[in-house]
């Protein structure tokens, strides 16, 4: 999905962008890297510069990742829950110890979130929005 945004701040390889929050945000795969500001419906997004020279105030076209909201929810909530329940049931069935089963189930969640964290760090560049091009808008055109 491609959208227009305004450059707010430059960093080394990334840029902070602002854009009006749209209905598309609800199903966007990159909404997890967005932080919605208090008050207005303005979204702040961190995006890869993609070797495109921009300055604060420039309007750019960005392309968001292809990771669906359902897949993100499954990774963050579903997999840890499934692992928790599986460890709880298996340990309780074979060792007949509820306390040990609960302890190991919670420990398994910590391990799963550690693995998810490693996956996120390794794939963050692929999942981040990217600047596609700098856009020159006609006078009086407002992107937000």
């Amino acid at each position: 999905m491609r959208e227009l945004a305004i450059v707010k701040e430059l960093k080394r390889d990334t840029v902070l962008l602002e854009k009006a929050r749209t209905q598309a945000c609800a199903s966007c795969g990159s909404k997890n890297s967005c932080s919605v500001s208090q008050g207005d419906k303005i979204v702040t997004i961190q995006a890869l510069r993609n070797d495109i020279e921009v300055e604060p105030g420039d309007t750019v076209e960005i392309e968001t990742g292809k990771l669906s909201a359902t897949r993100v929810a499954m990774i963050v909530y579903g997999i840890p829950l499934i692992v928790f329940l599986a460890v709880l049931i298996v340990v309780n069935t074979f060792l007949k110890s509820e306390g040990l089963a609960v302890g190991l189930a919670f420990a398994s969640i910590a391990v799963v979130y550690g693995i998810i964290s490693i996956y996120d760090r390794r794939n963050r560049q692929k999942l981040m929005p990217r600047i596609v091009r700098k856009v020159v808008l006609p006078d009086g055109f407002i992107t937000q």
Side-chain angles (χ1 to χ4, degrees), residues 59-136:
T59 301
V60 294
E61 183 177 9
I62 59 169
E63 184 174 50
T64 57
K66 295 177 176 85
L67 193 61
S68 72
T70 306
R71 186 171 174 194
V72 170
M74 184 62 180
I75 291 170
V76 174
Y77 301 114
I79 293 173
L81 178 63
I82 291 167
V83 170
F84 176 84
L85 292 174
V87 169
L88 185 69
I89 291 168
V90 168
V91 171
N92 193 34
T93 301
F94 290 112
L95 299 180
K96 306 286 187 209
S97 173
E98 290 178 6
L100 181 61
V102 169
L104 288 175
F106 278 112
S108 70
I109 287 180
V111 170
V112 169
Y113 277 119
I115 293 168
I116 291 171
S117 175
I118 293 168
Y119 171 82
D120 179 55
R121 272 188 254 125
R122 287 187 179 164
N123 294 295
R124 185 167 289 166
Q125 297 287 4
K126 287 192 294 187
L127 303 175
M128 281 182 75
R130 297 178 187 275
I131 294 177
V132 177
R133 65 185 175 101
K134 185 176 173 179
V135 178
V136 179

Side-chain angles (χ1 to χ4, degrees), residues 15 45 47-48 80 91 128 138:
V15 199
I45 301 171
L48 293 173
V91 171
M128 281 182 75

